[in-house]
Structures are given as structure tokens and as C-alpha cells.
């Protein structure tokens, strides 16, 4: 089977960590590099968290840290969701490898230009690094197959009533990416709020046992509490949706839309505005994921976690 070369740009973050664990478990994917963004926490913390998680699962991809803040705005983090460390809950051992001595944009450019097959980008945090890449090195686009990102929401936001966190943190970066003319698969809140891990799924992880299933159970214990307090039925696994679509697209339903990013609105900055007028002539730029087979999604993840114990 021909593997899909991917680069994951993430801001770990509990669900980013689970997206990394899923990606490295799947033989369909060849994770060529991991870059980190500032978002859920500062770049120092998201970098450390990425190193800890990758070390824990025994993976040591080329890794680099990106921008310390959004293109124009001050950084807004999500300590109330992911904790002060950005990965509160489990106590992970110190990392056993270091990042590359280059910024993320350089690792992205080098990896994309040196990979013989067109690369799939998988951003699961704010899009600052990807926007910088496209601005500094537009030539990379000819060797990018698609972007499968977690971000946005057609129906609503989460960080504000209009905007989802990743897009809200850096709307200008998202605007650059959504105007890139590259194929974009958008795993927005429309689908990720249905991609729920329930209490019984976490209990199943503990019944299965093993280092990685137990780590994920501990990550979800923390992540779950925040969302239960918000009357969710479970923990929405946002970022793993962007990875799961690449390996099992049949789990999802999707529609094509033209999506614009609001960068100016007093109340709507960061909104992913989809043109849903049936008579519209705007050219779609996004495949928006709208629904998921939750049981199939949970099973895909659990099988991935179990695979580390073999
Ligand atoms: O809104 C959810 C997104 O924001 C996820 O990527 C989560 O990790 C946070 O970055
Ligand atoms: Ca994230």
C-alpha cells in the first residue's frame, strides 16, 4: 500500500496528543515531520508536550517549533480547557529527544520539497505556521496534495458564539490558508462535537490496559471534566477527526462549501462563513465534515491505542 506522506502541525493539547498517537499507529500514514504552534498553550509548553507524547509512544520524527504568537494579534491560550501545562492530567516522563535547531517554517519547507510524493498537511491548532509557510515559500504549494485541518464551524463557534478556537486565535492566518487554492478538508465543530468519547469508552480503555490506552484514559479524564461541565455528553475529540478522515473517510459525511474567514468583525472575528445559498455561484474551497459514525470513530481510535501494546 502506498503510504500518505503527512506533516502534523499541532498545539498539544489533549486532543492534539491523541491525534499524534492515532497518526503514528496507522500504516496508511507516513508522518514525515511534526511542527508545533502556539495555541492551547505557549509555544514552549506545546513543544514540550509534543516531545513528551512522542517520546512516550517511542516516535522521534523531525520536530520543530513555530511562531510564538499569531501573525498580528496577541496570543490567546486555553488553560481552562487543557490546564496550565497544556496537557494537565497524566504525569509524562521527560522527553528523550530534542527538536530540530530550525523554525517550523524551515522544517515544513524542507520536508515538503524533499518528499517525492505530494504531502498532506494536518494542522490541528492555529494556522500561523502554515500561513507563514505559504507567504515565505509559495512554491511549496506545488508539492502539497491537500490540507486536512481541525478548525472552524459552519453552524457555530466554541471560543465565541461565532468562532472556533483555532481560527479565532489567528483569523488572518486562516484567511491566507483558506485562500491558498489547495484542497481543504475542514474538520470543524459540526463534526467534532459528534466525535465524542463517552465515559464507557474511557472505562473500556482502562479495561484494555497497557501504557498507551491508560495514558489516553488519563488525558481524557482531564479533558472530559471540562466538557461535562459544559453539558457535553462526552469529550469531543476534535483533532483526531482530521487524521481519521485520511485513513477512514467513509466514517464521515461531508459537503462542499465556499468558506470565507471573517478577520474584522467585532463579534465575528474568526468565523468560518460558509456560503449555503442554494443559488450561490461562489466556487467551493472547502470539504466540510458534517457528521461521523461515532462508534466507528471510537473503535478506530481504540484499535490504534491497542496497537502500541503489540
Ligand atoms: O476548538 C478545538 C481546537 O482548539 C482543538 O484543536 C483543540 O486542541 C484546540 O486547539
Ligand atoms: Ca489543537
Amino acid at each position: 500500500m502506498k503510504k500518505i506522506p503527512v506533516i502534523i502541525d499541532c498545539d498539544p493539547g489533549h486532543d492534539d496528543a491523541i491525534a499524534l498517537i492515532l497518526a503514528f499507529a496507522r500504516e496508511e500514514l507516513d508522518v514525515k515531520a511534526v511542527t508545533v504552534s502556539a495555541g492551547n498553550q505557549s509555544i514552549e509548553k506545546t513543544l514540550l508536550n509534543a516531545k513528551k507524547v512522542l517520546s512516550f509512544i517511542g516516535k522521534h520524527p523531525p520536530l520543530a517549533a513555530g511562531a510564538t504568537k499569531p501573525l498580528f494579534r496577541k496570543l490567546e491560550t486555553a488553560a481552562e480547557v487543557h490546564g496550565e501545562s497544556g496537557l494537565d492530567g497524566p504525569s509524562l516522563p521527560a522527553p528523550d529527544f530534542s527538536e530540530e535547531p530550525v523554525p517550523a517554517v524551515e522544517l515544513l519547507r524542507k520536508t515538503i520539497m524533499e518528499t517525492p510524493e505530494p504531502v498532506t498537511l494536518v494542522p490541528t491548532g492555529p494556522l500561523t505556521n502554515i500561513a507563514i509557510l505559504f507567504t515565505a515559500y509559495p512554491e511549496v504549494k506545488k508539492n502539497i496534495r491537500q490540507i486536512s485541518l481541525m478548525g472552524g464551524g459552519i453552524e457555530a463557534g466554541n471560543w465565541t458564539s461565532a468562532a472556533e478556537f483555532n481560527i479565532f486565535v489567528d483569523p488572518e492566518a486562516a484567511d491566507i490558508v483558506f485562500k491558498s487554492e489547495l484542497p481543504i478538508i475542514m474538520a470543524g465543530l459540526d463534526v467534532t462535537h459528534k466525535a465524542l468519547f463517552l465515559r464507557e469508552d474511557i472505562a473500556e480503555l482502562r479495561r484494555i490496559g497497557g501504557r498507551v490506552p491508560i495514558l489516553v484514559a488519563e488525558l481524557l479524564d482531564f479533558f472530559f471534566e471540562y466538557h461535562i461541565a459544559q453539558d457535553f455528553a462526552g469529550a469531543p475529540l476534535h483533532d483526531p477527526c482530521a487524521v481519521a478522515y485520511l485513513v477512514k473517510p467513509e466514517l464521515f459525511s461531508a459537503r462542499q462549501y465556499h468558506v470565507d474567514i471573517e478577520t474584522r468583525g467585532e463579534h465575528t472575528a474568526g468565523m468560518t462563513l460558509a456560503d449555503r445559498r442554494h443559488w450561490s455561484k461562489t466556487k467551493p474551497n472547502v470539504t466540510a465534515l458534517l457528521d461521523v459514525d461515532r462508534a466507528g470513530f471510537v473503535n478506530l481510535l481504540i484499535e490504534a491505542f491497542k496497537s502500541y501494546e503489540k
Side-chain angles (χ1 to χ4, degrees):
M1 164 207 312
K2 187 169 258 192
K3 286 180 174 278
I4 303 169
V6 303
I7 301 175
I8 298 174
D9 183 64
C10 54
D11 62 335
H14 293 70
D15 53 330
D16 303 77
I18 295 169
L20 288 169
I21 295 169
L22 172 62
F24 280 98
R26 296 297 306 198
E27 61 185 17
E28 303 92 333
L29 304 180
D30 176 9
V31 183
K32 308 297 282 187
V34 174
T35 53
V36 293
S37 57
N40 284 324
Q41 263 299 351
S42 66
I43 196 75
E44 293 80 11
K45 292 179 180 179
T46 58
L47 175 62
L48 176 59
N49 293 337
K51 288 192 284 188
K52 283 183 172 181
V53 171
L54 290 166
S55 300
F56 190 87
I57 63 173
K59 304 297 179 185
H60 305 94
L63 172 70
T68 59
K69 65 176 288 299
L71 297 181
F72 301 104
R73 299 171 188 248
K74 73 175 180 55
L75 176 62
E76 183 146 346
T77 57
E80 57 270 55
V81 183
H82 299 275
E84 271 315 305
S85 74
L87 210 59
D88 280 18
S91 58
L92 283 162
D96 61 10
F97 78 113
S98 296
E99 66 276 15
E100 305 291 310
V102 296
V105 69
E106 294 306 327
L107 181 58
L108 284 160
R109 183 196 59 78
K110 179 175 185 293
T111 307
I112 292 166
M113 297 310 281
E114 291 179 359
T115 299
E117 292 284 311
V119 171
T120 292
L121 300 183
V122 185
T124 63
L127 291 163
T128 315
N129 294 336
I130 309 302
I132 292 170
L133 172 71
F134 290 173
T135 305
Y137 301 112
E139 66 275 16
V140 300
K141 290 184 186 177
K142 66 175 181 294
N143 207 35
I144 293 173
R145 174 175 170 184
Q146 62 194 346
I147 301 170
S148 183
L149 63 84
M150 191 280 141
I154 306 293
E155 288 297 333
N158 57 2
W159 208 249
T160 70
S161 56
E164 176 278 326
F165 179 78
N166 289 339
I167 311 299
F168 175 82
V169 167
D170 199 342
E172 288 78 13
D175 191 39
I176 289 169
V177 174
F178 278 63
K179 286 176 178 168
S180 67
E181 299 192 347
L182 290 168
I184 294 175
I185 297 118
M186 180 180 120
L189 300 175
D190 314 282
V191 70
T192 68
H193 280 172
K194 298 168 186 166
L196 298 174
F197 242 68
L198 307 178
R199 279 192 202 284
E200 55 260 40
D201 302 319
I202 300 174
E204 174 66 7
L205 291 177
R206 290 200 156 87
R207 191 193 60 73
I208 292 166
R211 292 174 69 252
V212 173
I214 295 300
L215 168 66
V216 174
E218 292 173 349
L219 286 168
L220 289 174
D221 284 346
F222 182 88
F223 196 53
F224 192 94
E225 289 318 312
Y226 172 83
H227 289 92
I228 289 298
Q230 291 198 334
D231 291 334
F232 279 84
L237 290 201
H238 306 286
D239 297 335
C241 287
V243 176
Y245 179 81
L246 297 176
V247 299
K248 211 160 186 181
E250 62 272 22
L251 288 176
F252 298 88
S253 63
R255 288 198 64 173
Q256 309 266 334
Y257 291 115
H258 180 85
V259 172
D260 288 308
I261 307 296
E262 178 56 63
T263 59
R264 296 198 184 89
E266 179 186 354
H267 305 289
T268 55
M271 183 177 186
T272 47
L273 180 63
D275 186 348
R276 291 187 281 182
R277 297 168 297 170
H278 70 267
W279 63 88
S280 169
K281 299 284 182 285
T282 51
K283 178 171 172 281
N285 57 336
V286 166
T287 298
L289 305 186
L290 300 176
D291 204 349
V292 61
D293 165 1
R294 192 198 74 81
F297 175 74
V298 168
N299 187 54
L300 178 84
L301 282 165
I302 290 179
E303 288 307 309
F305 308 148
K306 285 164 63 174
S307 72
Y308 286 90
E309 308 309 315
K310 287 177 185 133

